[in-house]
Amino acid sequence: MSDALESEQRNVTAFYELLDSYTEHVIERIDKTASAPSTGTGQDTVERQAEIDHWSTQLRSARAAADRLAFGRVDLDVNGHTEIRHIGRMGLRDSEGNPVLLDWRAPTAAGFYQATALQPMGVSLRRRIITRGRTVTHIDDEDLLDPVHDVTDAAAASVEAPREGRMGDIVATIAADQDSIVRSPLSQITIVEGGPGTGKTVVALHRAAWLLYTYRDQLARDGVLIVGPSGAFLHYIDQVLPSLGETDVVLLTPGQLYPAVNATQYDDAAASAIKGSTRMIQVIAAALDSMIRIPSTDVTIDLEDGSSVRITAKQLAEARRQVPKDASFHEGREPFLEKALQHLCRFRARQRGWDERDADIRADVLADLTGDRHVRRVLNLMWMPSGPERLISRLLEDPAFLAVAAKGILSRDEQRTLLAARLERPNWTVDDAALLDEAAEQLGPWDPEARMVEAQAKRERAAEVEHASQSLSSLGMGAWISADRLADRSLSSTTRLSVAERALNDRTWTYGHVIVDEAQELSPMAWHCLSRRTNRISMTVVGDLQQTTHAAGVTSWDDVFTWATGRTDLHTLTITYRITRQTAAKAAELLARFGGTPPVLHAVRDGEEPIKADCGASELTSYVLTSIGDAEGRYAVIVPDAERDAYAALLDGPEFSAGEDALDATVAVLTARETKGLEFDIVFVIDPDAIGRQTVRGSDLYVAATRATHRLHLVTIS
């Protein structure tokens, strides 16, 4: 072992000793606080929970940082002498309080990412420290004073290691251009465009962590939403942010944008193009308008007691005018019904010779009328309440209802396409999630009893926040724990939900920041849905327009963000560290064959030429396993959409698995869409021509061919 390696091993060992000592201290503080005698007062409960909350957060951060605790070092020229700074997942101090390990997100660590040979920022040496467990396996030094040093070498070398089942240690591979994106301002839409392997996902995830670190006070209550292309992708990255100490993050696919729905099926291209169009906003609005059936003639209602009441057409029109123009469907229903019932009450009072100005008489009459099932039926039919699921189901299943709603918006052929798609896929599809969300938005809430409960809960929470704020202020603890968070915990002694848990179940939740990976796959309807999810113009959007597979997917970022003119910041990454020059060239050739235009992509690694092979279906299992041999890593068999289940059954053995759990197997059997954002050591693309034909311009084939970090097999089944 070299002297430098031994030195770094000693440093890393010392860092872990400090971390272990700190972790033990934190656990002791939690145990001591939890077991301390209680006075039983509300003040004592607040104080105790505040301290437990604080130390529990510290414990989670410490445990998350334990994996690859230290990963870098910079040597700085400070007033003529060299100062060494180590960089890691969290900050640590020695027994005298001196910083010995800098948190990677701290401003003082910026030189590790931003320094270049042209702008060294006082950095003479940058060292990447690679560890396995607590053992330093090797180090990689960059001499920034050497003008011929290629700063891409170290980043390129980081992909040579075999792939793991999750996204691994990505902190230390942020290049200077990527780091500037990570640290860009919060209140803007940061767009990162680039081909496969250019580090878009790395940038997006580190931006999430950096924003939560830098703007913690602003984002702690609202959280961050990350939208990824598939469940497999989210499974792939789900340990990255927790490993950086961030937990207030919600991860969703486009098929989960409506709570309680987890859609994984995709419509065919024709239906997907229609559902993904913002014309569906008009269709849903027209459908709701058609459900308001207020008569233009006088209406007589026969009551259960044998008598009748009457409301005139003029009175019904007056009740309709009571509805605010910007009210949702259900918000408009209530003032209409309230006014209509007032007219009926006056009619009933006059009919019986009662004084309609008497409040008690009005209350009694109102109770009688609202309790009569005939009154309820007639008024409900004028403005029938509905739920999002029922509304969208009717649109997709009822030809007559759809024809009324889509008149002048969708053609007859398009209507038939939607109806046929529903017959073929009776369960919710990915594109249906945005339709359900839009329906819920236009319908508005409808549950008077629930709204009363919610209003009471809001009053209780406001009182609890005020109490917590006063308690924290008196304790001098307001600077490091939020009264809002403490109130949330105090209101429930049995269930304490995190920001992420609360946001998941609340369709109207607005996040402090939204990150979208593989953004080109979102339809205009999905973008419309997402625009409601941020309480400021604050998003990070990463994607590659050449990899668009959605029939209504993004073709221009300007078209997506028309509502954010002047607030967008576009970055383009062109250097790929993942795929080799040979793989990049072959993928570009395949894309061009099916009419696509390859993105600008500069591969920094050489490798093997892609292998073309013919194989019988019965021999495929043997071919894959023989090709893998004894090599370490992760592998994928990418198959045509229509044949995934067939190939999953054909590929026999414990090494193979399909679906979201595929990443836990040695060989994942996936479709091209399921591999978006993922990478594997060796990739087998089965029936390339079939994959090339299943999407416009061959985008699926391009995706499939750019997943391999080492070797690509293009397999034709004979």
Side-chain angles (χ1 to χ4, degrees):
M1 180 181 290
S2 69
D3 291 343
L5 199 65
E6 288 184 358
S7 175
E8 293 302 352
Q9 181 62 69
R10 288 193 295 271
N11 289 325
V12 168
T13 299
F15 297 149
Y16 273 110
E17 289 174 353
L18 287 173
L19 180 66
D20 291 342
S21 176
Y22 177 70
T23 301
E24 290 177 6
H25 168 71
V26 171
I27 292 173
E28 288 176 2
R29 291 298 300 265
I30 294 173
D31 291 343
K32 182 178 180 180
T33 304
S35 60
S38 173
T39 63
T41 64
Q43 177 79 1
D44 179 72
T45 300
V46 169
E47 294 175 11
R48 180 192 301 266
Q49 187 56 52
E51 188 165 356
I52 291 175
D53 185 75
H54 168 70
W55 290 111
S56 295
T57 299
Q58 300 304 307
L59 180 60
R60 287 194 299 271
S61 297
R63 285 175 169 169
D67 181 29
R68 296 168 181 168
L69 174 63
F71 54 77
R73 160 184 156 178
V74 289
D75 292 7
L76 293 169
D77 183 6
V78 180
N79 298 325
H81 70 277
T82 300
E83 180 178 305
I84 296 174
R85 295 179 181 173
H86 282 87
I87 316 296
R89 293 186 181 275
M90 69 176 291
L92 290 173
R93 295 176 179 271
D94 61 20
S95 58
E96 298 178 356
N98 300 313
V100 294
L101 185 66
L102 299 179
D103 189 300
W104 72 275
R105 295 157 293 193
T108 49
F112 180 75
Y113 301 106
Q114 296 176 341
T116 66
L118 294 177
Q119 293 183 327
M121 300 174 63
V123 177
S124 59
L125 178 76
R126 172 166 45 211
R127 172 173 291 173
R128 289 178 170 82
I129 303 169
I130 292 82
T131 59
R132 183 179 294 276
R134 300 191 174 199
T135 302
V136 179
T137 58
H138 64 281
I139 57 177
D140 178 33
D141 288 343
E142 296 179 60
D143 183 357
L144 270 69
L145 301 182
D146 181 358
V148 301
H149 181 78
D150 183 356
V151 297
T152 66
D153 286 349
S158 70
V159 300
E160 293 295 336
R163 302 301 93 191
E164 297 180 358
R166 305 288 184 273
M167 180 171 283
D169 189 7
I170 58 178
V171 177
T173 62
I174 303 292
D177 56 344
Q178 296 170 329
D179 186 73
S180 67
I181 302 170
V182 168
R183 299 170 195 265
S184 59
L186 171 66
S187 296
Q188 67 177 30
I189 296 179
T190 301
I191 304 170
V192 186
E193 186 175 57
T198 53
K200 302 184 298 297
T201 297
V202 168
V203 168
L205 296 178
H206 279 75
R207 180 155 169 74
W210 182 79
L211 288 173
L212 282 163
Y213 180 86
T214 307
Y215 300 97
R216 182 165 297 281
D217 290 342
Q218 297 179 48
L219 297 179
R221 180 173 179 179
D222 297 334
V224 171
L225 169 64
I226 297 180
V227 179
S230 67
F233 174 82
L234 298 182
H235 193 49
Y236 181 56
I237 68 169
D238 64 1
Q239 293 302 311
V240 176
L241 282 170
S243 74
L244 298 175
E246 309 301 352
T247 55
D248 291 337
V249 179
V250 174
L251 288 85
L252 298 175
T253 68
Q256 297 170 325
L257 290 177
Y258 180 75
V261 168
N262 180 19
T264 57
Q265 283 190 316
Y266 291 90
D267 289 293
D268 60 32
S272 189
I274 300 167
K275 290 182 178 182
S277 168
T278 51
R279 290 181 298 161
M280 292 302 295
I281 299 172
Q282 299 171 263
V283 172
I284 292 170
L288 292 176
D289 191 59
S290 73
M291 292 166 57
I292 301 174
R293 300 172 180 175
I294 301 174
S296 57
T297 58
D298 296 353
V299 175
T300 298
I301 306 174
D302 295 324
L303 304 181
E304 290 179 281
D305 65 3
S307 63
S308 63
V309 291
R310 184 166 57 89
I311 184 169
T312 68
K314 183 179 179 180
Q315 289 170 334
L316 287 171
E318 180 187 353
R320 181 71 172 89
R321 289 194 295 272
Q322 298 298 307
V323 178
K325 291 183 178 180
D326 59 349
S328 68
F329 182 84
H330 289 139
E331 288 171 342
R333 180 177 184 271
E334 288 188 32
F336 167 77
L337 293 179
E338 182 180 346
K339 192 65 176 178
L341 282 167
Q342 287 176 7
H343 286 303
L344 289 172
C345 284
R346 282 196 292 269
F347 179 90
R348 184 66 160 175
R350 290 194 300 268
Q351 184 185 58
R352 296 295 176 92
W354 297 334
D355 184 359
E356 63 183 74
R357 294 170 298 178
D358 187 298
D360 290 337
I361 290 176
R362 289 200 308 271
D364 289 341
V365 172
L366 179 62
D368 288 341
L369 290 177
T370 54
D372 191 288
R373 59 187 175 89
H374 298 301
V375 172
R376 293 199 304 271
R377 178 178 179 276
V378 170
L379 293 184
N380 272 334
L381 286 174
M382 293 182 190
W383 204 305
M384 180 66 75
S386 182
E389 293 89 344
R390 185 171 187 275
L391 175 63
I392 298 302
S393 291
R394 283 190 68 192
L395 277 174
L396 299 178
E397 296 170 3
D398 185 339
F401 186 61
L402 178 59
V404 171
K407 185 177 180 181
I409 304 171
L410 302 180
S411 69
R412 292 283 188 180
D413 284 343
E414 288 177 316
Q415 293 175 40
R416 283 191 285 269
T417 296
L418 289 180
L419 294 167
R422 182 67 165 182
L423 286 173
E424 184 177 351
R425 297 176 179 85
N427 296 323
W428 296 120
T429 66
V430 171
D431 284 308
D432 290 335
L435 300 183
L436 288 165
D437 186 81
E438 180 62 24
E441 186 70 16
Q442 292 194 32
L443 279 165
W446 180 65
D447 189 341
E449 183 177 344
R451 281 200 297 277
M452 291 176 60
V453 172
E454 181 181 358
Q456 177 63 25
K458 286 182 178 179
R459 289 192 292 270
E460 291 177 358
R461 188 180 188 284
E464 190 66 33
V465 169
E466 177 65 21
H467 175 68
S469 178
Q470 293 174 356
S471 298
L472 292 171
S473 177
S474 66
L475 295 169
M477 302 166 68
W480 53 270
I481 184 169
S482 163
D484 287 307
R485 285 193 166 189
L486 185 57
D488 290 337
R489 286 164 170 78
S490 298
L491 284 169
S492 174
S493 60
T494 57
T495 303
R496 294 180 178 141
L497 301 179
S498 68
V499 167
E501 289 168 327
R502 298 202 311 274
L504 267 175
N505 299 314
D506 187 350
R507 191 197 66 81
T508 63
W509 189 276
T510 52
Y511 296 86
H513 191 76
V514 175
I515 292 176
V516 185
D517 205 338
E518 301 293 341
Q520 74 280 353
E521 293 306 312
L522 266 64
S523 69
M525 272 302 300
W527 281 112
H528 180 70
C529 169
L530 273 181
S531 69
R532 292 191 283 265
R533 297 295 197 267
T534 176
N535 58 16
R536 59 177 70 87
I537 298 180
S538 183
M539 300 180 78
T540 300
V541 175
V542 300
D544 176 11
L545 298 181
Q546 299 307 317
Q547 295 187 55
T548 302
T549 59
H550 195 291
V554 173
T555 57
S556 166
W557 302 119
D558 290 338
D559 292 342
V560 174
F561 300 112
T562 54
W563 47 273
T565 304
R567 301 292 297 275
T568 60
D569 185 22
L570 175 64
H571 303 261
T572 302
L573 302 177
T574 61
I575 298 175
T576 177
Y577 307 106
R578 181 176 73 206
I579 61 177
T580 64
R581 293 184 178 94
Q582 293 79 1
T583 297
K586 176 57 70 174
E589 175 191 321
L590 294 170
L591 182 64
R593 183 197 302 173
F594 288 90
T597 303
V600 176
L601 199 62
H602 302 294
V604 300
R605 300 167 52 229
D606 272 316
E608 301 178 16
E609 289 291 339
I611 299 170
K612 295 183 67 175
D614 290 315
C615 182
S618 62
E619 302 166 348
L620 184 57
T621 298
S622 176
Y623 176 81
V624 170
L625 295 178
T626 301
S627 299
I628 292 172
D630 297 328
E632 294 184 3
R634 294 282 172 173
Y635 316 101
V637 176
I638 304 177
V639 301
D641 289 354
E643 300 178 63
R644 193 194 77 168
D645 291 344
Y647 277 109
L650 176 67
L651 293 164
D652 186 33
E655 301 87 353
F656 299 93
S657 182
E660 292 187 10
D661 296 332
L663 298 182
D664 294 325
T666 302
V667 185
V669 182
L670 301 166
T671 65
R673 197 188 305 249
E674 290 172 327
T675 65
K676 281 182 174 292
L678 309 183
E679 59 184 37
F680 303 89
D681 294 276
I682 301 175
V683 169
F684 301 84
V685 179
I686 309 302
D687 202 348
D689 286 349
I691 295 176
R693 289 190 298 267
Q694 68 189 21
T695 49
V696 294
R697 300 183 302 278
S699 54
D700 266 1
L701 182 55
Y702 185 71
V703 170
T706 54
R707 300 305 98 191
T709 62
H710 288 83
R711 194 185 316 148
L712 172 66
H713 292 251
L714 302 170
V715 184
T716 301
I717 301 299
S718 55

